[in-house]
Amino acid sequence: METPVESTRERLLNVAEQRFGEGGYEGTSLRAITVAAAANIAAVNYHFGSKEALLRAAVARAMAPINTERRRRLDQLEASGLPAPEQLIRAFIEPGLELVLRRGERGPVVARFIGRIAFDPSQRIRELYAAESDPVEKRYLAALQAALPHATPEAVAFGYVNMLGLLALHQSQALSRAPGGTEIEDPGKLAENLITFLVAAFDRGLRS
């Protein structure tokens, strides 16, 4: 059974994910988070120390299972030889989209939070996110560069950054509807459609 201290900390993290995902870091006040979490500023200071530290803890919690699964898949692929670009793209994309497709309300909330923070207008916030994501993402970039010897490292890096951006847009649900309000993605096909698109983009767009 959770103690009251643990419960307060989890409530603050849960609300922070939701509010930061909806309004961004600068657009979300610490007071709004504490009111929604039935807590107070003293509780934030006790558990985290500051608003930025709360964000850092929320990012670390959200990214931990994704990083773990991405690392596991990459280790497995590299142990079997030189992975193909499609294998690498799939191993990277699927863990990030599992949040969107997961049943229950927490999955989409966390996915929106990650997608929003990954490309926050503030360089400081992007750097905070990168501290959690870069170690694994750099490994995937290096693996893609090895799998695409016909392309320059700069060209692969350009494609990789755009892959990250497109994934973040889907996670934040910014691309969930086409003009006119119609759904553009069947959630069950989202991963496959995105992977197919990215594989084609890397194959055709990076030809020398």
Side-chain angles (χ1 to χ4, degrees):
M1 182 175 180
E2 287 189 334
T3 66
V5 171
E6 291 171 332
S7 177
T8 299
R9 187 177 191 278
E10 290 303 305
R11 287 202 312 274
L12 286 167
L13 286 170
N14 291 341
V15 172
E17 288 172 346
Q18 180 179 0
R19 294 303 177 93
F20 287 143
E22 293 172 350
Y25 182 76
E26 294 297 336
T28 303
S29 70
L30 196 54
R31 176 172 174 75
I33 292 173
T34 57
V35 169
N40 52 45
I41 301 297
V44 174
N45 292 333
Y46 175 78
H47 291 290
F48 305 101
S50 67
K51 177 184 173 182
E52 183 176 305
L54 170 60
L55 174 65
R56 185 180 297 110
V59 170
R61 186 180 73 161
M63 288 301 299
I66 299 173
N67 285 335
T68 297
E69 179 61 11
R70 283 174 174 165
R71 189 179 297 110
R72 183 193 70 80
R73 293 191 183 199
L74 184 55
D75 288 342
Q76 188 176 55
L77 287 173
E78 292 183 332
S80 301
L82 182 64
E86 181 175 358
Q87 291 176 306
L88 293 168
I89 292 169
R90 180 176 298 277
F92 187 87
I93 291 294
E94 286 183 340
L97 287 182
E98 282 173 2
L99 287 173
V100 180
L101 304 177
R102 186 183 301 164
R103 292 184 178 180
E105 63 181 38
R106 293 306 306 161
V109 168
V110 177
R112 188 183 307 114
F113 165 66
I114 293 173
R116 183 69 179 263
I117 295 302
F119 288 90
D120 191 273
S122 166
Q123 182 177 351
R124 170 62 183 161
I125 301 306
R126 293 197 304 273
E127 289 173 349
L128 185 152
Y129 170 81
E132 295 295 330
S133 62
D134 270 7
V136 175
E137 290 184 0
K138 286 180 179 178
R139 284 190 60 194
Y140 271 89
L141 174 57
L144 274 169
Q145 289 172 334
L148 294 163
H150 59 278
T152 66
E154 293 78 13
V156 178
F158 177 81
Y160 187 69
V161 168
N162 281 274
M163 178 176 74
L164 296 180
L166 190 55
L167 174 59
L169 284 171
H170 280 286
Q171 287 176 320
S172 66
Q173 300 173 39
L175 295 182
S176 62
R177 293 183 181 275
T182 58
E183 295 288 341
I184 64 171
E185 291 285 4
D186 175 346
K189 297 179 180 178
L190 177 56
E192 287 301 321
N193 289 346
L194 183 55
I195 291 167
T196 298
F197 178 84
L198 288 168
V199 169
F202 272 95
D203 181 57
R204 297 177 63 86
L206 300 182
R207 290 181 185 273
S208 56

